Amino acid sequence: MSPLPPDTLTAIADELAVAERDRTTVPLLTARHPGMTVDDAYAVQREWRRRGVAAGRRPVGRKIGLTSKVMQAATGIDEPDYGAIFADMVYPSGSVIEHGRFSNVRIEVELAFRLAEPVDGPGATLDDVLRATEHVVPALEILSSRIALEGRTIVDTISDNAAMGAMVLGDTPVAPEDVDLRWVAALLYRNGTVEESGVAAAVLDHPARGVAWLANKLAQHGDRLEAGELVLAGSFTRPIWVHPDDTVLADYRDLGTITCRFI
């Protein structure tokens, strides 16, 4: 299948930029560009990231999406994807967050890996990731979809920076050798009621395996994970919808809690 012409990819990036600015959504890309491929979608995402850097935004890491069966079932998409994280997308636990900054706002439970060393693909393994990791810390991802949700494919989602809106970072880092990361569990509360729960092994049987997948995928695009990057490894619960005035709390037991409130 031939890639879309560069001017078409630029026009899609323009359209998504307007949707992000105006906090609106656009119709499915795949319905309007039926020949659009995963490579096309990552080209759109790279253009979005390039524009962010040109505007002075500072890249700090990557997110991985759709790594667990619960997330794949929730979206109808059966393969992982990735997106970019800028510094202005990272909130500390306890933050009050403007709900209207995002579209189709949902939140999910993850672990974030802070890398002390680069991770190169192809051929990156779970053990490579663990050796390269400085610490792991609980995190919440705020999903924001600038493309219509109904009928999305992996191509739509990737073009939309893998539906990344922002993240809330916990304050209980732990060395990867000090905890069995497969068995990290969390309860996700909205307004005092448990809405979801999960165990990190739902992410490809080990959350570090998601980071290895990302390193190998980036290698296909001539890129790699660098020292200092923060990597959201993928959700191990289904996303929950959040609205203005909602308070969210994730309880990771020994790894502490994360809270945020939407206004």
Side-chain angles (χ1 to χ4, degrees):
M1 191 176 293
S2 300
L4 293 179
D7 59 343
T8 301
L9 297 176
T10 299
I12 292 170
D14 290 342
E15 187 179 7
L16 289 170
V18 170
E20 184 177 24
R21 182 195 69 201
D22 296 346
R23 299 163 179 178
T24 57
T25 58
V26 302
L28 291 173
L29 299 178
T30 46
R32 294 176 289 140
H33 305 282
M36 192 173 182
T37 66
V38 165
D39 285 343
D40 289 329
Y42 278 119
V44 170
Q45 186 189 121
R46 284 193 296 274
E47 173 62 12
W48 176 86
R49 187 173 186 267
R50 185 197 67 77
R51 293 180 186 189
V53 172
R57 301 177 77 183
R58 181 169 60 88
V60 294
R62 316 273 185 160
K63 69 148 284 185
I64 312 168
L66 307 174
T67 49
S68 67
K69 292 295 185 183
V70 291
M71 281 303 299
Q72 291 177 0
T75 59
I77 298 170
D78 62 0
E79 61 179 295
D81 63 3
Y82 70 82
I85 305 173
F86 288 114
D88 58 14
M89 301 163 78
V90 182
Y91 292 90
S93 180
S95 291
V96 177
I97 299 170
E98 182 189 355
H99 187 275
R101 178 182 169 188
F102 310 106
S103 303
N104 294 304
V105 191
R106 292 145 293 148
I107 203 162
E108 57 191 29
V109 169
E110 313 208 6
L111 291 175
F113 286 68
R114 177 74 73 183
L115 299 179
E117 301 171 10
V119 183
D120 280 305
T125 66
L126 182 153
D127 287 337
D128 293 332
V129 171
L130 294 178
R131 279 193 296 269
T133 298
E134 176 185 303
H135 64 251
V136 180
V137 64
L140 299 175
E141 182 177 356
I142 300 168
L143 298 176
S144 179
S145 295
R146 278 76 47 167
I147 296 175
L149 294 178
E150 188 66 32
R152 279 181 311 163
T153 71
I154 190 77
V155 169
D156 295 289
T157 304
I158 291 168
S159 302
D160 192 24
N161 196 37
M164 177 72 183
M167 62 180 289
V168 184
L169 196 60
D171 49 18
T172 314
V174 62
E177 64 271 18
D178 289 345
V179 64
D180 186 344
L181 293 174
R182 294 180 67 246
W183 284 100
V184 172
L187 305 173
L188 181 59
Y189 293 79
R190 181 180 55 207
N191 302 326
T193 299
V194 175
E195 299 285 351
E196 281 291 337
S197 61
V199 179
V203 177
L204 300 175
D205 194 45
H206 193 296
R209 191 166 279 118
V211 183
W213 172 88
L214 175 58
N216 293 326
K217 191 71 173 179
L218 287 172
Q220 297 175 19
H221 299 142
D223 203 351
R224 72 172 185 174
L225 292 172
E226 300 289 354
E229 285 202 78
L230 187 66
V231 182
L232 272 175
S235 179
F236 49 93
T237 67
R238 290 175 296 187
I240 64 169
W241 288 88
V242 289
H243 309 282
D245 298 322
D246 280 349
T247 296
V248 174
L249 181 146
D251 183 351
Y252 287 77
R253 194 178 174 184
D254 294 343
L255 294 188
T257 61
I258 307 175
T259 63
C260 62
R261 182 168 64 86
F262 291 87
I263 59 171

